[in-house]
Amino acid sequence: MTIQKHFILVLSYLVTLLIISVAQAKEFHLPNTHIVPINDTQLARQYELLITLPDGYNKNAKKPYPVVYYTDAPMHVSLLSSASNFILNETILVGISWQTNTTGALKKRGVSASRVRDYSINESSNAARQAKYQYGQASTHLAFIRNTVFQYIEKNYAADPSNRTYFGFSLGGLFGAYILTAHPDTFKNYILGSPALRGDIPLLTKLSNNHTHLNANVFISYGALESKLADHVNEFIDVLQKRNDNSLKLQTAVIDAAGHSDSFPMVGVRSIMWLSSLTDIKTH
């Protein structure tokens, strides 16, 4: 047998092994997690809900389950479901995805492009960018969550409408700050990780002043290396503290030696630990 024929024989054998290996591979799915498509029928926008049920979930439970709702679901589902599994018990997680049927400039920008539209509260001063990406539609997205997402979850699962928590990071944190100040009754607990608040404090302050009481537990954090973002977050914290609102329970945390992206894992774990310390959240 020539060297060339020997090489071809070995290569064919290796390719066969590779094909067998790929055929035997299995896709991993998070335990107790399933995906449900959901539509914003008012705007013909399609989303997905990533729903994680606790071990031993019982739809007919005598006492309904607290629910943690979070945005940017594809990015956050793994960490939050893992942290919840170890720290919380008998709590449902509901992740809200980005729009799955975007078109035009949003589609070209990528799968997460709708977040810049859905989580932002002010329009862009750049007319061309505003026309492309449609900034400032947080109120529209919140209406979808309040009127459609809540209704679906509370109709189909043993979910407690009086015990909802919001988790958002970066732009999702801005969205959470908007909900807290515009419609504080939407959630009982708010977790705002490194909220992207640049330029938004005046509007948030105005919205906050429309309410005598916010009636919420709030956890706000950012990374110690986020120097520019920290100024805006601390300004927002100051706005909340100056309300002297006894119905508002505020907890803040600075993540040591962390910037924006790398603060997220610690924010996820520490905020879930904070949530578990609240007396009306069931824990192990």
Side-chain angles (χ1 to χ4, degrees):
M1 181 182 292
T2 65
I3 294 177
Q4 185 178 16
K5 289 183 178 179
H6 182 74
F7 174 76
I8 294 173
L9 181 62
V10 171
L11 182 61
S12 299
Y13 176 70
L14 292 175
V15 170
T16 301
L17 286 179
L18 179 61
I19 293 173
I20 293 174
S21 177
V22 171
Q24 291 176 340
K26 295 181 180 179
E27 186 175 355
F28 176 76
H29 298 277
L30 287 174
N32 303 327
T33 300
H34 57 280
I35 300 174
V36 174
I38 192 164
N39 295 327
D40 183 342
T41 55
Q42 298 297 315
L43 298 168
R45 295 173 182 171
Q46 298 174 4
Y47 296 84
E48 291 178 336
L49 300 181
L50 280 62
I51 304 169
T52 303
L53 301 175
D55 289 337
Y57 168 77
N58 179 7
K59 187 175 182 178
N60 299 313
K62 293 182 179 179
K63 186 174 181 179
Y65 294 77
V67 183
V68 177
Y69 293 87
Y70 60 97
T71 43
D72 291 314
M75 288 196 297
H76 299 341
V77 59
S78 297
L79 187 144
L80 293 181
S81 60
S82 179
S84 178
N85 183 59
F86 280 99
I87 301 170
L88 294 177
N89 187 28
E90 300 183 32
T91 301
I92 299 171
L93 303 183
V94 177
I96 304 166
S97 79
W98 309 302
Q99 184 184 349
T100 59
N101 66 332
T102 52
T103 58
L106 281 179
K107 185 173 184 178
K108 290 179 181 178
R109 183 165 178 163
V111 293
S112 66
S114 64
R115 70 193 299 268
V116 304
R117 176 200 66 206
D118 290 345
Y119 306 162
S120 59
I121 65 176
N122 281 308
E123 294 185 356
S124 173
S125 58
N126 182 309
R129 286 179 60 80
Q130 178 62 31
K132 270 188 176 183
Y133 303 124
Q134 307 158 43
Y135 295 96
Q137 294 193 31
S139 60
T140 300
H141 195 55
L142 178 57
F144 161 63
I145 292 172
R146 287 170 62 98
N147 299 329
T148 302
V149 174
F150 287 169
Q151 183 181 48
Y152 177 83
I153 293 298
E154 290 160 11
K155 179 181 178 181
N156 292 282
Y157 299 89
D160 186 352
S162 68
N163 200 347
R164 305 176 186 137
T165 296
Y166 174 82
F167 179 102
F169 185 81
S170 192
L171 270 177
L174 166 62
F175 184 54
Y178 166 74
I179 302 171
L180 172 65
T181 54
H183 298 279
D185 63 328
T186 305
F187 297 96
K188 188 172 188 177
N189 312 302
Y190 290 81
I191 298 169
L192 313 179
S194 297
L197 302 175
R198 181 178 180 180
D200 296 309
I201 303 298
L203 177 54
L204 294 173
T205 303
K206 181 179 179 181
L207 292 171
S208 173
N209 289 338
N210 291 330
H211 305 280
T212 304
H213 301 292
L214 294 183
N215 292 309
N217 303 306
V218 182
F219 181 96
I220 302 178
S221 71
Y222 59 87
L225 303 181
E226 297 186 84
S227 56
K228 293 182 179 180
L229 179 143
D231 291 340
H232 306 297
V233 177
N234 285 324
E235 186 179 356
F236 181 61
I237 291 171
D238 190 52
V239 167
L240 296 179
Q241 290 175 333
K242 286 182 176 179
R243 289 176 52 85
N244 294 317
D245 181 356
N246 292 329
S247 74
L248 175 66
K249 308 301 182 184
L250 180 62
Q251 176 73 42
T252 63
V254 178
I255 310 301
D256 293 337
H260 191 65
S261 297
D262 54 340
S263 69
F264 170 72
M266 288 299 296
V267 171
V269 173
R270 291 181 65 171
S271 64
I272 294 298
M273 290 181 66
W274 166 80
L275 189 60
S276 75
S277 71
L278 303 180
T279 56
D280 52 359
I281 294 288
K282 301 176 185 180
T283 62
H284 287 291

